[in-house]
Amino acid sequence: MEEEDDMVKEGLMASPREIFSISGPIHLTTIDWNNSYHRTSVASCLVQAVYTLERDRQQNRIGLKSQAHHWWEFFNFTLAETLIDQSDGSIYGAVFQYKLFSYNYHNTPYSKTPPLHVIAFRGTIMKPHSRSRDLRLDLRCVRDSLHDSTRFVHAIEVIKTAVAKTGNAAVWLAGHSLGAAVALLAGKIMTRSGFPLECYLFNPPFSSIPIEKLVKSEKLKHGVRFAGSLVKAGVAIAVKGRHHHNKGQEDDSFMKLASWIPYLYVNPLDPICSEYIGYFNHRNKMFEIGAGKIERIATRNSLRSLLTGGGGGGSSCSDSTSEPLHLLPSAYMTINTSKSPDFKRAHGIHQWWDPMFNGEYVLHQFNQ
């Protein structure tokens, strides 16, 4: 057993978590596209396929030794395109095509069609071949500058090409961690352009202090966030008044996103994404206590962006790519309420297709 572990570490064998027959949802022999667990499992497994594609490349696993193809073939997808980062040559994403897709499939309000294409993006891989580039992009997420990275510019071009060919209804986006940031930013851009996409965001980074994880007292959490909303609303009114921003343009830019409801997957024990729970809960709380007017201003702005002159939720569409990713009006949130034993599990992609998964499901829609 120790010999096998050493071989995995040295790259001579695939990790069990990369092998579909060991770690994948092999019980899903038939997919019901109306079942949210089934759709979540497919989307998350296609993201895992991208991780494994890159690991196959790094470890030179070809032919019978390659593991990635099992993650898409099981669900009747083919690999249409691999997305390569120009900076380090790593595979950061892929376009998967559904083999059983039919344009004659009649969609009704009670029936979901399978996607023709799923464009999936992996997160950070802490291995020598990809670590440096991925960590630099992680830093861009924190600095709200992911939009002008060569990886994202390439990703949005691929997405626009797919939508131009098949229409936005036939395209899904999916991503985990850094990949979720890419998918979220692309989803916002496409929605503002009039082409909303179904979007599955697993453990997306929240570029702010993780109050949800750091502060235990619910009253203290609310107090900190309430003070933050007051400050943001006050600064927004002062700054935007001074710069004579057009209010109609501000509202239009933010509200274009309100009807778009991406699927958001978060774990309260994961400090990278857990603040999304507090972000939406706080907004609801503010409306409950009659402070909705303050929160309507605060929720569409970032204090850092306001003070530095960067993009904000109320900026024009051309500037909105530099806004913080978490400025999100609406989301269908899945919260993993199972107890993850450590950070690696809490932030991992495998939790989202676990048949023993326990979750809380909440729809958050922005009140105009």
Side-chain angles (χ1 to χ4, degrees):
M1 190 69 181
E2 286 184 13
E3 185 178 344
E4 284 191 3
D5 290 341
D6 290 339
M7 292 177 74
V8 168
K9 290 178 182 178
E10 292 172 11
L12 301 176
M13 286 180 60
S15 161
R17 296 177 71 79
E18 296 169 347
I19 301 173
F20 184 83
S21 60
I22 297 175
S23 297
I26 56 175
H27 59 286
L28 290 180
T29 53
T30 302
I31 297 299
D32 175 6
W33 294 100
N34 291 310
N35 184 307
S36 61
Y37 168 71
H38 287 201
R39 296 196 309 276
T40 296
S41 297
V42 171
S44 54
C45 282
L46 292 179
V47 173
Q48 177 60 35
V50 180
Y51 276 110
T52 312
L53 272 169
E54 172 56 14
R55 292 297 288 142
D56 279 351
R57 184 193 74 86
Q58 291 182 4
Q59 299 184 359
N60 196 30
R61 297 192 303 238
I62 58 176
L64 295 175
K65 292 183 179 179
S66 65
Q67 296 295 329
H69 63 100
H70 300 293
W71 291 93
W72 64 77
E73 288 177 351
F74 185 82
F75 301 109
N76 291 303
F77 281 86
T78 60
L79 178 62
E81 183 180 356
T82 54
L83 309 184
I84 310 297
D85 191 298
Q86 296 174 7
S87 296
D88 63 358
S90 67
I91 298 171
Y92 74 88
V95 181
F96 300 101
Q97 184 169 327
Y98 188 53
K99 290 191 288 188
L100 306 181
F101 184 88
S102 171
Y103 285 101
N104 296 320
Y105 189 101
H106 296 292
N107 190 21
T108 71
Y110 308 104
S111 177
K112 289 187 71 73
T113 60
L116 174 57
H117 290 120
V118 177
I119 306 175
F121 306 98
R122 66 166 176 84
T124 302
I125 295 180
M126 294 297 288
K127 301 293 182 181
H129 298 281
S130 53
R131 179 172 53 211
S132 177
R133 174 61 172 164
D134 287 352
L135 289 175
R136 287 200 301 271
L137 290 169
D138 289 334
L139 190 58
R140 278 183 174 271
C141 289
V142 175
R143 294 176 173 173
D144 305 319
S145 62
L146 183 64
H147 62 284
D148 59 6
S149 66
T150 55
R151 181 179 294 189
F152 181 77
V153 170
H154 180 236
I156 195 68
E157 287 176 356
V158 170
I159 292 166
K160 288 179 178 178
T161 299
V163 170
K165 287 181 180 177
T166 63
N168 58 306
V171 178
W172 286 9
L173 300 182
H176 174 248
S177 192
L178 172 59
V182 172
L184 174 53
L185 181 54
K188 292 170 84 170
I189 290 173
M190 296 301 293
T191 299
R192 284 183 168 123
S193 300
F195 300 98
L197 302 173
E198 190 153 323
C199 200
Y200 294 81
L201 307 167
F202 303 100
N203 304 80
F206 191 100
S207 58
S208 186
I209 299 171
I211 299 170
E212 190 68 24
K213 187 75 170 66
L214 296 177
V215 181
K216 302 303 180 186
S217 165
E218 290 300 322
K219 286 186 177 180
L220 184 56
K221 284 180 189 177
H222 178 59
V224 171
R225 293 191 177 111
F226 183 80
S229 291
L230 287 177
V231 172
K232 278 195 290 185
V235 172
I237 292 169
V239 170
K240 294 184 178 183
R242 185 170 70 243
H243 290 300
H244 306 290
H245 278 206
N246 181 277
K247 187 178 185 298
Q249 186 183 48
E250 293 174 15
D251 288 344
D252 183 58
S253 178
F254 186 78
M255 293 314 300
K256 274 184 177 179
L257 297 177
S259 61
W260 178 58
I261 308 178
Y263 294 92
L264 198 62
Y265 298 84
V266 299
N267 189 313
L269 298 178
D270 175 11
I272 291 175
C273 68
S274 62
E275 188 55 23
Y276 275 103
I277 300 171
Y279 172 77
F280 283 109
N281 286 347
H282 169 67
R283 194 167 72 190
N284 293 341
K285 192 89 169 178
M286 290 290 280
F287 279 94
E288 288 174 8
I289 66 174
K293 288 184 178 180
I294 294 173
E295 190 57 23
R296 280 191 185 94
I297 300 171
T299 197
R300 65 184 68 189
N301 289 285
S302 156
L303 191 59
R304 179 171 55 191
S305 294
L306 288 167
L307 296 176
T308 60
S315 60
S316 68
C317 191
S318 60
D319 296 330
S320 59
T321 50
S322 62
E323 74 184 21
L325 286 169
H326 65 261
L327 296 184
L328 195 59
S330 307
Y332 190 86
M333 183 182 291
T334 299
I335 303 170
N336 187 349
T337 55
S338 305
K339 294 294 182 183
S340 302
D342 51 39
F343 167 74
K344 189 175 182 180
R345 299 292 179 88
H347 188 64
I349 187 74
H350 290 66
Q351 64 186 299
W352 303 114
W353 66 73
D354 187 340
M356 303 303 290
F357 173 84
N358 290 314
E360 178 185 340
Y361 309 91
V362 187
L363 173 61
H364 296 284
Q365 284 188 291
F366 185 73
N367 293 316
Q368 301 187 33

